[in-house]
Structure formats: C-alpha cells, structure tokens
Amino acid sequence: MEKAPSLVFLCIQSIKTQLLRGCDNPIPDVYELPPHLFGDLIAQLPALALQNLQTDMPFKSWDDYELTDDCLKSGRKRGRNEKFHRAWKKLFKLRWPELVDSAKSGDWQQIYWERHLQNCLDEAAEAALRPLFSGRIGCINISDNILRYICHEDHANFRNCDCTELSFHFMKFGSYARCLRLLNVFCNTETCELMRACKLQSLVIRWIRSEEHVEPLCKLLTQNLETLNSLELIHCKLSPSVMNAICTSLLEKDMHTNGMQHFSIKTSSLEMDPVSFPSAFISFLKSGRSLLSLKFCDSLLDGHFARTVFSVLLDSSSNLSSLDLSENNISGWLSTFNWRSAADSLLAERSLRSLHVLSLRGNDLNKSDAENLAHALVHMPNLETLDLSDNPIEDDGIRSLISYFTNHPEYPLANLNLENCELSCDGVIDLLDSLSLLEKPLKSLSIADNALGSGVADAIGDFLASPIQSLNISGMGLGSIGFLELQRKIVKELMMLLNINISKNRGGLEAARFLSKLIPLAPKLLSADTSYNLMPSESLSLLCTSLKSTKGDLESIDMTGNSCSYRTDNDHPLFHEFQRNGKPIFVLPKSPASNVPYDDDP
Ligand SMILES: *[C@@H]1O[C@H](CO)[C@@H](O)[C@H](O)[C@H]1NC(C)=O
Ligand SMILES: *[C@@H]1O[C@H](CO)[C@@H](O)[C@H](O)[C@H]1NC(C)=O
Ligand SMILES: *[C@@H]1O[C@H](CO)[C@@H](O)[C@H](O)[C@H]1NC(C)=O
Ligand SMILES: *[C@@H]1O[C@H](CO)[C@@H](O)[C@H](O)[C@H]1NC(C)=O
Ligand SMILES: *[C@@H]1O[C@H](CO)[C@@H](O)[C@H](O)[C@H]1NC(C)=O
Ligand SMILES: *[C@@H]1O[C@H](CO)[C@@H](O)[C@H](O)[C@H]1NC(C)=O
C-alpha cells in the first residue's frame, strides 16, 4: 500500500497552487510560518511559485520573522536570503544540469530567468519562422516541456494558467534578462515593446538581411543603451546605410552611460563603399574610449577596410585591447603606410598603446604583408598576443619579424601563433634563436602545420629549456629521428611547461619514449596531445611506467588515432589507476575503426 501523504506535504501542495495563481491573491499568512516550515516550503516550490512568494514578501517581514527564531538566540545567524539563493540554485541545476559549472553569475534567480527567456525565445523562433505564421509574437504558446519546470509538473492539466503565452514571460521576468541571442524574427516593433523591461548588457543578433528588421533593431539598441556593453552581429547583411543606422543608435549614448565595450561582426557581408565609409561607423570607432574589443571576422573584408579601421584607431585616442580581423582577405592592408621614411620615435607618436591582442589569421597575407606588419609593430608597443596562422608569409615574412624582435628585445610578446605559414626548417631555427633573446620569455608558441622535418628538432630541444608554457609542434614531420633528437636534448627540468602538442608527427615508438622522458621532467604539465603518431601498443606501458614514477598534475594524454589495440571499457585497469578529477588521464582510441594511422602527407 502506498504511504499516506503527510499533513505538511498536503499543505505545501495547497500553498503551491495558490502561489501559482499569482499576485491577485497574495497569502500573507505564509510569511508568518516558523522558519523550518518556511524553509521546507521554499525548497519544494516550482520556479513561478517561488518567484511569486519572493516578490510578494512584505518588506522587513523576514527580519521580524527571524527575531522570533530560537536559532538566532542560540547565536546561529543565517544569511537572510540564503534559503532563496539555495532554492534558485537547485531549480537551475534541475533544469540545466550541464550548465551549472559554467554559470559564472552567483545570482541564481537572475540567471534562471535569463536562461528561461532564452529557451522560450528559441522555441518561439521555430513557430515564428514557419511560413504560415502571421500572428503576434507575444501570443506564441510556450510548450509544456518548458512550463512543467516553472509551474506544474503535469502542466497539460492546468490549461487555464495565464503563463502559456510568450508575452507573460517577458512581462514577468524581462527585468532579469542581461544577455540574449535574438533571431531576425524578433526584430520588430512588437518584440521591442515586449522587451521593455529588459536591461540588456549583451546582445547577439542573427540573420539581419532585410531592411524591415533594421529599424526595430535600432529601437531595441536605443532602448537598452544605458546598460548595453556588448553587441555581436552574425550572418547579417550590412549595407553602408544599415551600418550607419546601427552605429548612429550606438552613438546616442551620453557621457554617463558605460559605453560599448565589445563590438563584433562575424560571418556577415559588410559592403563598404571604398571611397566613403559610413560616417557614423567612423564616428563610432573614434568615439569609443570604452571600446575594448573589436571583431570583424569571416566577412569578406578587404585591405581597404582593414587599413581604414587601423588608421582611424591609430588617430583616435582609443583604449582598444583586442582587434580581430581573421578570416578575411586583407592582404596589402598596410602597404600604403609610409613606415620607412621616419624614425621609430616619430612614428610611434601615433599609436595603439592599449592593444594587447591582434589576430590576422587566415587572410592570405604574404611576405610583404609580414614586412609591413613588422614596421607597424612599433605602433603597438604593448602587443602580447599575435596570431598570424593560416597565412603564407614564408621564411622571408618571418625574417622581417625576426629582425624586429632582434632590434627590440624589450618587445612584450607572450603568445605567438604561426601555424600553417609555409615556414621552412631554416626560418624556424632562426625564429627560435631570436625568440630566446627576448627579455620577457614567450609563454606560448605554435609552429604547427609547417613542413619542417626532423632537422628542426635540435633547435626545439634548446627552445624547450626556455620557460615556455605551451608549445604546439603538431604536424611538422618530426618523425622517429626528430623525437630521438628531442629525447637527447631534454636533460634539465622544464619547470614551466603546461601543455605540449606533438600530434600528427609520425613519431612512432620514439614519440612515446620522448613523452615518457618528458613527463617526470615537467612537474607542472597538464596536457599532452600525442594523437596520430603511429604509436605501437607498447607505448602505453612506457607512459604508464613514467606516470607511476611522477607526482605531477597531468590531466590528459590524448592518444587517439594511434595504431594500438587498447580497450576503453570501464573495466580496463588504466581507467581506475590513472584518473584526475574523476576523468581518465589517457584518452584512447574509441574503437578499432579509429585506429587507422593518420596520414599527414598532402
Ligand atoms: C495557443 O494555444 C491556445 C489554446 O490551446 C490556442 O487557442 C491558440 O491558437 C494558440 N496560439 C497560437 C499562436 O498557436
Ligand atoms: C582602458 O581599458 C582598460 C582595460 O583594458 C581599463 O582597465 C581602463 O580603465 C581603460 N581606460 C579608460 C580611460 O577607459
Ligand atoms: C582577395 O583580394 C584580392 C585583391 O586584394 C582579389 O584579387 C581576390 O580576388 C580576393 N580573393 C577573394 C577570395 O575574395
Ligand atoms: C603580396 O600581396 C599583395 C596584395 O595582395 C600584392 O600586391 C603583392 O604583390 C604580394 N607580394 C608578393 C611578394 O607576393
Ligand atoms: C596547440 O597546442 C596547444 C597546447 O596543447 C593548445 O593549447 C592549442 O590550442 C593548440 N592549437 C591548436 C590550433 O590546436
Ligand atoms: C593539437 O594540434 C592539433 C593540430 O593543430 C589540433 O587539432 C589539436 O586540437 C591540438 N590539441 C590540443 C590539445 O589543443
């Protein structure tokens, strides 16, 4: 026989139902409950009921109520909002278990409703995008899948609840939304009204491709100007007039608001008239002392666009920290600057002192571009991170940079990415030499995916003696000979090394021997990627022996794509013996099918 429900349980059920009916009939008596019963109640309410209970709480009643608490007399004072805080966290965890760890905000009530509104919007978008949809966005029904979390578990039985429509959710919880992602269908006057209560800080907009969405978008921006500090446009078609309209709305900010900090355009088409840029866009770039990061990625931008942006920034007193122009076609962008005619000191009068990160990945930059960039570095005296990957700059290109570093050993560069730059062994040997002369040693370097061969191993071995933290030497054709040489070179402790990537090098058993020698020498090593190296099965026992003899922090050794016959079922001893934070250290090939040797020949 089923156990009979307790009286307390029945009371809580009844209060819950009343609370869900909303604010027309508040239940003041509930706030007079003794603390332990009130605590039980809070812990059992669905989100909407909890929200109503918290909102209707008479001011100060919590104080009065705690004074009558015996616990208080015995000196155990509890944080007043602690119970609500814990209840919100529990509800969040129940609904989005996978997001709990990544949720950075501690205000669980706020992120609960923000996330909830995003779920409602994503669901409503499906309805609004149907070709036959012609109704009002606010009237779109929210599914029981969502409602059962915030109202009743069996929501279908409560059809008369007024929470079925999207508009209810924005009216009630809109003020909790700080960050939202919106599709074009939500850029209309009706949605702007719906979102009146939102105080958005960050907005991601997708698929603005026709004029009709632009004005409502601008209205939405204006409406949130006080708080908005980040705007991202993805898959948009941005004509000069659209850019002008958007930037004009952003410029309406007065001096007292916080200002835009992050502006980003990705995978869009940005059609700029080469002769005259939209004036509001230029003013926006010039105006922003607040602007910290600018991104224009994967949007078919040409050298003219990049040059204009760069010179506007140089001439304004910008405080920009990060500029990302990756995946465009900006080759030639610095060619018309007249770097060589003046002395460094004169040139540096125009400068982007604040710039720390520059990404130029995937722009088809050649050796002339690299040479011009080397001249331009004097204008970026605090640059720490430079990404030039996926550009065919070749050895001549890298030599221009080398000569800059040689003449400016004080340059603060910390992270350099030169993946897939068509470099050769000689160029990289010179580079490694010059990098070791910098006053502040590099933290991370990637020279992956350049066909360097085993000849570079000796120089890499020397370089490993520098305090490098992260090194990527994947896909360079080191081979067994290269790894033999590397083994010979490492003799001293590598105190700073955190990550190393030696994947796709056809290293075979020698790659495993190198790694097993490296592990005890690198006490701080967190991860090693040795995938696709044609490693035979005895590699595993080599590495196990090496791991056993060290007390490092190593979290992961990626061994996928090697021709070994490891088993990955949970009975395998490796899973029990070698774990870190509940996860296995060895990432092994999943099935025999993924054991195929990786072929890195083009
Ligand atoms: C929402 O649901 C109600 C009741 O089931 C229905 O009458 C209404 O047409 C639905 N609205 C939309 C936009 O589908
Ligand atoms: C410039 O940006 C940095 C962050 O990169 C910030 O700490 C600083 O306050 C900003 N300066 C001004 C004048 O806005
Ligand atoms: C890249 O720009 C050059 C001119 O600088 C042009 O000739 C070339 O067609 C462009 N490539 C692409 C893929 O747009
Ligand atoms: C590099 O690219 C620029 C612009 O696309 C071109 O004008 C120049 O001739 C190229 N230089 C070399 C050496 O290929
Ligand atoms: C190169 O390797 C380092 C260290 O493992 C890693 O942090 C970085 O993401 C790698 N780069 C790429 C493009 O995988
Ligand atoms: C190692 O480098 C390869 C190729 O560049 C990349 O695919 C892989 O993600 C990198 N591993 C890590 C851990 O970053």
Side-chain angles (χ1 to χ4, degrees):
M1 209 180 94
E2 261 185 66
K3 221 179 120 196
S6 73
L7 187 57
V8 173
F9 175 81
L10 290 176
C11 291
I12 288 181
Q13 288 306 306
S14 150
I15 296 172
K16 182 169 107 181
T17 314
Q18 280 191 65
L19 280 169
L20 284 172
R21 257 184 242 139
C23 9
D24 3 324
N25 34 2
I27 25 178
D29 293 350
V30 99
Y31 301 103
E32 308 296 330
L33 283 173
H36 69 280
L37 283 180
F38 195 77
D40 282 354
L41 175 67
I42 287 184
Q44 292 185 41
L45 293 178
L48 180 58
L50 186 66
Q51 178 71 19
N52 288 341
L53 181 72
Q54 197 170 359
T55 317
D56 293 341
M57 191 157 66
F59 189 56
K60 281 187 74 190
S61 82
W62 194 266
D63 283 317
D64 305 343
Y65 152 93
E66 272 208 333
L67 282 176
T68 63
D69 185 352
D70 287 343
C71 292
L72 197 72
K73 285 179 205 144
S74 66
R76 253 182 74 213
K77 192 172 167 120
R78 239 183 253 132
R80 214 151 285 172
N81 292 316
E82 189 53 32
K83 282 184 184 141
F84 277 112
H85 180 80
R86 255 185 278 139
W88 283 115
K89 183 170 182 184
K90 200 178 117 198
L91 288 173
F92 188 94
K93 200 169 171 182
L94 189 74
R95 189 162 167 190
W96 301 285
E98 72 286 3
L99 294 177
V100 171
D101 291 336
S102 60
K104 46 186 186 300
S105 155
D107 186 351
W108 293 101
Q109 184 183 19
Q110 185 260 320
I111 51 172
Y112 186 93
W113 292 122
E114 176 176 282
R115 190 81 217 161
H116 166 74
L117 289 176
Q118 186 67 57
N119 278 186
C120 292
L121 283 172
D122 294 347
E123 203 182 80
E126 278 180 36
L129 282 170
R130 282 192 202 118
L132 291 177
F133 179 80
S134 60
R136 290 165 57 84
I137 299 273
C139 297
I140 292 178
N141 287 326
I142 300 302
S143 75
D144 292 343
N145 262 346
I146 289 184
L147 294 180
R148 70 193 180 87
Y149 282 107
I150 73 160
C151 308
H152 304 273
E153 273 148 35
D154 47 351
H155 195 270
N157 298 334
F158 295 85
R159 264 279 151 240
N160 54 352
C161 172
D162 59 359
C163 62
T164 46
E165 294 189 345
L166 181 67
S167 58
F168 170 88
H169 297 259
F170 271 93
M171 273 177 324
K172 187 116 182 144
F173 316 122
S175 62
Y176 294 100
R178 305 274 182 277
C179 310
L180 288 181
R181 297 186 311 270
L182 299 180
L183 268 178
N184 55 5
V185 284
F186 295 116
C187 293
N188 57 46
T189 346
E190 189 209 337
T191 326
C192 286
E193 281 309 311
L194 267 187
M195 297 191 177
R196 272 249 160 254
C198 301
K199 295 186 178 67
L200 295 177
Q201 294 170 1
S202 158
L203 194 53
V204 180
I205 303 282
R206 285 169 201 259
W207 293 103
I208 299 288
R209 306 192 78 91
S210 76
E211 293 282 337
E212 63 179 308
H213 296 126
V214 176
E215 202 188 307
L217 169 61
C218 292
K219 186 156 180 268
L220 192 63
L221 295 177
T222 315
Q223 207 166 289
N224 288 285
L225 268 193
E226 290 259 318
T227 45
L228 198 66
N229 61 40
S230 167
L231 176 64
E232 189 168 327
L233 302 163
I234 308 176
H235 293 298
C236 293
K237 201 169 160 209
L238 304 163
S239 67
S241 69
V242 173
M243 278 303 276
N244 242 345
I246 291 175
C247 292
T248 305
S249 329
L250 297 178
L251 280 168
E252 278 171 25
K253 274 182 175 281
D254 66 40
M255 320 255 283
H256 306 292
T257 54
N258 286 327
M260 197 56 102
Q261 296 180 351
H262 311 280
F263 184 75
S264 152
I265 294 177
K266 275 193 214 158
T267 321
S268 295
S269 87
L270 238 173
E271 301 144 15
M272 289 284 170
D273 178 353
V275 211
S276 75
F277 265 56
S279 58
F281 175 58
I282 300 287
S283 307
F284 171 68
L285 290 180
K286 275 186 182 158
S287 71
R289 276 301 285 172
S290 60
L291 210 53
L292 296 179
S293 86
L294 262 184
K295 258 189 206 174
F296 301 102
C297 303
D298 189 17
S299 298
L300 295 170
L301 299 169
D302 60 9
H304 181 72
F305 177 91
R307 181 185 312 129
T308 308
V309 169
F310 189 67
S311 49
V312 169
L313 292 171
L314 268 186
D315 288 336
S316 61
S317 48
S318 134
N319 190 28
L320 198 70
S321 174
S322 163
L323 177 62
D324 187 345
L325 294 167
S326 52
E327 311 285 341
N328 290 299
N329 183 18
I330 66 166
S331 182
W333 68 305
L334 294 172
S335 59
T336 54
F337 283 93
N338 195 1
W339 309 115
R340 267 157 290 189
S341 62
D344 277 1
S345 60
L346 193 67
L347 277 165
E349 275 169 23
R350 296 163 76 212
S351 94
L352 267 168
R353 297 217 149 258
S354 51
L355 198 68
H356 287 94
V357 180
L358 178 63
S359 176
L360 302 171
R361 178 170 44 85
N363 265 300
D364 206 18
L365 302 180
N366 61 25
K367 57 185 178 188
S368 326
D369 294 307
E371 189 185 343
N372 288 322
L373 178 67
H375 292 298
L377 287 179
V378 71
H379 297 265
M380 303 173 241
N382 293 306
L383 196 68
E384 287 176 354
T385 300
L386 177 60
D387 187 349
L388 278 173
S389 56
D390 295 333
N391 287 298
I393 61 169
E394 301 177 351
D395 281 1
D396 285 345
I398 207 63
R399 290 219 161 83
S400 303
L401 292 173
I402 290 172
S403 79
Y404 189 82
F405 298 143
T406 312
N407 292 327
H408 299 84
E410 77 289 352
Y411 205 70
L413 200 67
N415 311 296
L416 182 59
N417 190 342
L418 294 168
E419 272 168 42
N420 189 22
C421 284
E422 297 186 10
L423 305 178
S424 84
C425 183
D426 288 346
V428 169
I429 290 175
D430 290 352
L431 172 76
L432 293 175
D433 273 349
S434 76
L435 291 177
S436 60
L437 297 176
L438 289 178
E439 282 165 17
K440 237 176 100 189
L442 218 58
K443 284 189 191 147
S444 93
L445 174 69
S446 179
I447 42 176
D449 296 328
N450 291 290
L452 305 179
S454 58
V456 78
D458 187 61
I460 291 177
D462 288 334
F463 187 72
L464 270 170
S466 78
I468 188 87
Q469 295 175 12
S470 180
L471 182 65
N472 205 332
I473 48 175
S474 161
M476 307 194 320
L478 284 170
S480 300
I481 300 174
F483 282 106
L484 256 173
E485 181 64 17
L486 276 175
Q487 285 168 56
R488 205 178 55 76
K489 292 295 277 199
I490 51 166
V491 281
K492 279 191 290 202
E493 279 216 321
L494 314 170
M495 286 308 290
M496 304 301 278
L497 194 65
L498 301 175
N499 311 294
I500 189 162
N501 189 338
I502 58 171
S503 63
K504 303 182 195 167
N505 268 308
R506 303 178 156 259
L509 188 59
E510 296 307 335
R513 290 205 170 114
F514 164 70
L515 200 55
S516 61
K517 184 168 179 197
L518 181 92
I519 289 170
L521 286 173
K524 287 195 184 158
L525 193 66
L526 293 174
S527 78
D529 187 341
T530 174
S531 52
Y532 301 100
N533 257 317
L534 306 178
M535 295 199 318
S537 37
E538 63 256 47
S539 312
L540 192 58
S541 51
L542 261 175
L543 291 171
C544 288
T545 314
S546 167
L547 264 180
K548 272 185 196 152
S549 65
T550 37
K551 280 203 192 69
D553 298 326
L554 200 54
E555 284 169 3
S556 126
I557 302 180
D558 191 339
M559 301 186 70
T560 44
N562 285 298
S563 39
C564 329
S565 50
Y566 312 131
R567 290 174 28 241
T568 57
D569 48 287
N570 289 340
D571 297 333
H572 199 282
L574 282 177
F575 282 90
H576 301 294
E577 195 170 349
F578 299 106
Q579 289 203 359
R580 186 82 55 203
N581 308 325
K583 289 195 191 129
I585 291 179
F586 288 103
V587 182
L588 301 177
K590 289 235 160 43
S591 64
S594 64
N595 289 349
V596 263
Y598 173 77
D599 190 357
D600 61 354
D601 290 334

